[in-house]
Amino acid sequence: SYSRAYRHWHRSLFRWAKLRRTPLVTVSAFSRDRLVALGADASRVHVVHNGGDHLLHVDADPLLAERLGLDP
């Protein structure tokens, strides 16, 4: 379902990260397991779950868009 160029880019990026031995961050244990199955060192793959719950406790600033010069 992805274009050939997109798949090639992802493969290249993964190979580059593997060679550099950079830490890899993913959003789920499933993704971590897939990266390890593709040859990533399990000790370098870290899971950081998506989350936005903290935004439920932040009061909206109605003047923020104006201060940043953004159109409504």
Side-chain angles (χ1 to χ4, degrees):
S1 63
Y2 296 102
S3 71
R4 183 181 306 250
Y6 185 81
R7 292 190 314 258
H8 176 72
W9 180 78
H10 265 270
R11 282 190 207 109
S12 298
L13 184 64
F14 182 74
R15 286 186 195 118
W16 175 80
K18 189 176 171 184
L19 289 173
R20 285 199 52 193
R21 301 210 171 269
T22 57
L24 299 173
V25 178
T26 188
V27 296
S28 69
F30 174 82
S31 296
R32 180 197 58 220
D33 294 345
R34 291 291 299 138
L35 288 168
V36 171
L38 290 170
D41 179 3
S43 67
R44 292 186 314 117
V45 182
H46 307 281
V47 177
V48 177
H49 298 284
N50 290 332
D53 298 345
H54 63 284
L55 293 177
L56 298 176
H57 306 290
V58 176
D59 293 328
D61 181 355
L63 301 177
L64 181 62
E66 183 180 326
R67 280 200 325 266
L68 295 176
L70 302 174
D71 293 329

